[in-house]
């Protein structure tokens, strides 16, 4: 098999961790016998610098991505570009337009904590003796962030602001299919999170979830109200497999999951578009964290989030599941051996402090 991807390293630690992740991708392609054709393009601050602040998302970057099966993204932004007009700032001018252009409606964010790293989680360690591994599937292009009307006006001499939470049934169906399929590839348990005791959109959401569930008889579906889900997430994160929820709830819950995971440096993410004829998704894959300007240029960033973004890309966009699993196992192996980048290092017995390249080499070795 041969796959085409665009690589957008971006800013800050992006290029540093991307180099290491590409080495892992190359090793996986050699070992598991598939070909990757890839081209690297400018995005974010790097693109602004190259175009005299014209755009953080050059046309060539979009055109190359249109021809690809997936985008492997690093991270964008940094103090250098923070005072530019908002519409050309790296995140707003590149990341959001990319999501819109490619119709990326499903955001997948794993919130996981390996057994060897539970000390880094703010959750009491006796509650998570074996760590946890949850996948949050968030609807990304609908709901209250985009619903109309929204605005601000004066009513009876007082300022009033309003937003509209609206979902079409087809939007709910689309995201639920992504979540059920993801659950099929994992432990086959799906929790749908809503606020069906208060919100009309949530009543439709819950009805639709129950309908779609009949198409996935192997998956066990349950429902939680979002306030309860937020509480259960810090009490028993290890009881969840896949969560699916609408845009606003997912924004909050996926950040809660990132926090209890312990380190941003370990967490990948995927934003998926329409499913293609071959059953795979066009997607954009990137670490959950940002460009980390505080440590950029020092070669000490944790490359694991970027490496696990590669494995998510192999799983959801390229159909190379065996290679994806092997990369996940290799990363876990490096952690089990005690290797720790600065974000994970505690100085405990058995830990060895490593830099970005050393962590990458250990994962390559394990692969
Ligand atoms: P950040 O995620 O970049 O950093 C937060 C903290 O986590 C920092 O202390 C950083 O050193 C640490 N961290 C993050 N990734 C790490 C890794 N791989 N290894 C070790 N430590 C890591 O968030 P921020 O400081 O709020 O934002 C910095 C810049 O990144 C801003 O310009 C922001 O706009 C941008 N940003 C970009 C994205 C994106 O590209 N998707 C996402 C979030 C923030």
């Amino acid at each position: 098999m041969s796959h085409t991807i665009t690589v957008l390293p971006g800013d800050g630690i992006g290029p540093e961790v991307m180099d290491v992740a590409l080495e892992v991708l190359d090793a996986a392609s050699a070992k598991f016998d598939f070909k990757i054709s890839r081209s690297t393009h400018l995005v974010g601050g790097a693109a602004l610098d190259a175009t005299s602040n014209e755009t953080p998302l050059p046309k060539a970057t979009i055109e190359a991505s249109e021809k690809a099966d997936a985008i492997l993204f690093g991270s964008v932004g940094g103090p250098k570009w923070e005072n530019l007009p908002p519409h050309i700032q790296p995140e707003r001018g590149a990341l959001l337009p990319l999501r819109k252009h490619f119709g990326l409606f499903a955001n997948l964010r794993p919130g996981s904590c390996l057994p060897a790293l539970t000390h880094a989680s703010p959750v009491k360690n006796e509650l998570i003796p074996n760590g946890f591994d949850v996948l949050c599937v968030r609807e990304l292009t609908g709901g209250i962030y985009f619903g109309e009307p929204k605005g601000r006006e004066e009513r009876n001499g007082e300022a009033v602001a309003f937003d509209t939470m609206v979902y079409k049934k087809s939007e709910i169906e689309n995201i639920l299919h992504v979540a059920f399929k993801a659950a099929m590839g994992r432990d086959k348990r799906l929790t749908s999170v809503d606020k069906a005791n208060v919100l009309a959109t949530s009543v439709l959401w819950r009805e639709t979830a129950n309908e779609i569930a009949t198409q996935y008889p192997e998956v066990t579906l349950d429902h939680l109200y979002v306030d309860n889900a937020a509480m259960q997430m810090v009490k028993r994160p290890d009881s969840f497999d896949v969560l699916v929820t609408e845009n606003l709830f997912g924004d909050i819950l996926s950040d809660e999951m990132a926090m209890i995971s312990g380190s941003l440096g370990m967490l990948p993410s995927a934003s998926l578009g329409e499913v293609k004829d071959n059953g795979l998704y066009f997607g954009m894959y990137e670490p959950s964290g940002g460009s980390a300007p505080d440590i950029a240029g020092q070669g000490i960033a944790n490359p694991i989030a970027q490496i696990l973004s590669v494995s998510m890309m192999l799983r959801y966009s390229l159909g190379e599941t065996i290679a994806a699993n092997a990369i996940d196992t290799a990363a876990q192996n490096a952690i089990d051996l005690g290797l720790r980048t600065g974000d994970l290092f505690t100085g405990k017995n058995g830990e060895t402090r490593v830099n970005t390249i050393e962590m990458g080499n250990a994962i390559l070795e394990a692969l």
Side-chain angles (χ1 to χ4, degrees):
M1 282 295 285
S2 176
H3 312 288
T4 306
I5 65 167
T6 48
V7 178
L8 313 183
D11 310 315
I13 61 168
E16 301 169 36
V17 292
M18 185 65 83
D19 282 349
V20 171
L22 290 176
E23 278 189 56
V24 173
L25 175 61
D26 288 344
S29 102
K31 183 173 164 77
F32 296 100
D33 207 19
F34 58 87
K35 287 201 170 55
I36 294 280
S37 152
R38 60 173 203 244
S39 58
T40 301
H41 298 273
L42 291 169
V43 75
L48 286 163
D49 287 352
T51 61
S52 311
N53 284 350
E54 195 189 313
T55 176
L57 184 60
K59 219 169 149 207
T61 301
I62 299 181
E63 283 171 0
S65 301
E66 281 169 348
K67 295 185 196 118
D69 300 310
I71 301 171
L72 186 62
F73 194 93
S75 49
V76 291
K80 185 174 176 191
W81 306 283
E82 262 163 21
N83 296 320
L84 290 173
H87 70 283
I88 56 163
Q89 282 184 16
E91 265 189 282
R92 204 167 326 164
L95 207 50
L96 303 186
L98 268 175
R99 284 186 186 151
K100 188 160 181 221
H101 185 82
F102 288 103
L104 305 178
F105 69 93
N107 187 224
L108 274 59
R109 273 177 61 175
S112 57
C113 183
L114 294 173
L117 297 178
T118 51
H119 60 272
S121 170
V123 174
K124 275 189 196 142
N125 280 201
E126 61 261 35
L127 295 176
I128 45 167
N130 301 311
F132 55 87
D133 176 15
V134 192
L135 177 70
C136 181
V137 179
R138 165 189 169 196
E139 201 290 324
L140 204 54
T141 51
I144 199 163
Y145 292 170
F146 299 97
E148 294 287 348
K150 64 165 66 232
R152 188 181 161 129
E153 60 193 29
E154 199 145 301
R155 290 183 197 162
N156 301 326
E158 192 183 5
V160 174
F162 48 92
D163 301 283
T164 303
M165 185 182 260
V166 57
Y167 268 108
K168 287 187 288 194
K169 191 174 170 78
S170 56
E171 290 176 299
I172 303 173
E173 286 170 346
N174 285 345
I175 191 74
L176 278 155
H177 279 298
V178 173
F180 273 105
K181 283 184 186 144
M184 284 296 290
R186 294 172 46 107
D187 204 29
K188 300 190 173 62
R189 291 179 293 120
L190 178 62
T191 302
S192 174
V193 175
D194 62 37
K195 189 71 182 167
N197 49 347
V198 180
L199 298 175
T201 43
S202 282
V203 173
L204 179 61
W205 184 282
R206 193 175 280 219
E207 277 170 22
T208 310
N210 286 332
E211 277 169 33
I212 302 280
T214 58
Q215 298 175 40
Y216 300 89
E218 286 176 56
V219 176
T220 309
L221 171 71
D222 66 351
H223 303 274
L224 274 185
Y225 295 137
V226 62
D227 42 351
N228 191 15
M231 292 192 286
Q232 300 308 322
M233 188 53 68
V234 290
K235 192 175 168 211
R236 50 174 183 93
D238 58 352
S239 69
F240 293 103
D241 180 23
V242 181
L243 290 184
V244 60
T245 192
E246 63 89 49
N247 203 344
L248 169 65
F249 300 161
D251 193 0
I252 298 165
L253 281 180
S254 59
D255 269 7
E256 184 190 8
M257 281 167 48
M259 173 50 75
I260 63 170
S261 293
S263 173
L264 267 181
M266 297 291 293
L267 298 178
S269 77
S271 300
L272 307 182
E274 291 294 311
V275 70
K276 296 185 291 188
D277 291 343
N278 60 6
L280 299 167
Y281 300 91
F282 180 86
M284 183 162 90
Y285 300 84
E286 58 179 316
S288 288
S291 58
D294 54 335
I295 56 166
Q298 299 175 37
I300 57 171
N302 188 346
I304 292 183
Q306 191 76 61
I307 291 169
L308 297 182
S309 300
V310 166
S311 74
M312 284 190 96
M313 175 181 77
L314 290 169
R315 180 170 292 117
Y316 291 103
S317 283
L318 309 185
E320 300 290 352
T321 311
I322 296 172
N325 291 341
I327 291 175
D328 290 352
T329 307
Q332 173 155 4
N333 212 289
I335 293 293
D336 288 345
L337 284 173
L339 302 185
R340 303 282 185 270
T341 39
D343 53 317
L344 304 173
F345 185 71
T346 62
K348 276 203 290 194
N349 254 352
E351 287 188 357
T352 308
R353 190 175 189 133
V354 292
N355 62 27
T356 309
I357 290 175
E358 288 164 338
M359 181 61 98
N361 286 345
I363 293 170
L364 278 171
E365 181 86 4
L367 190 65

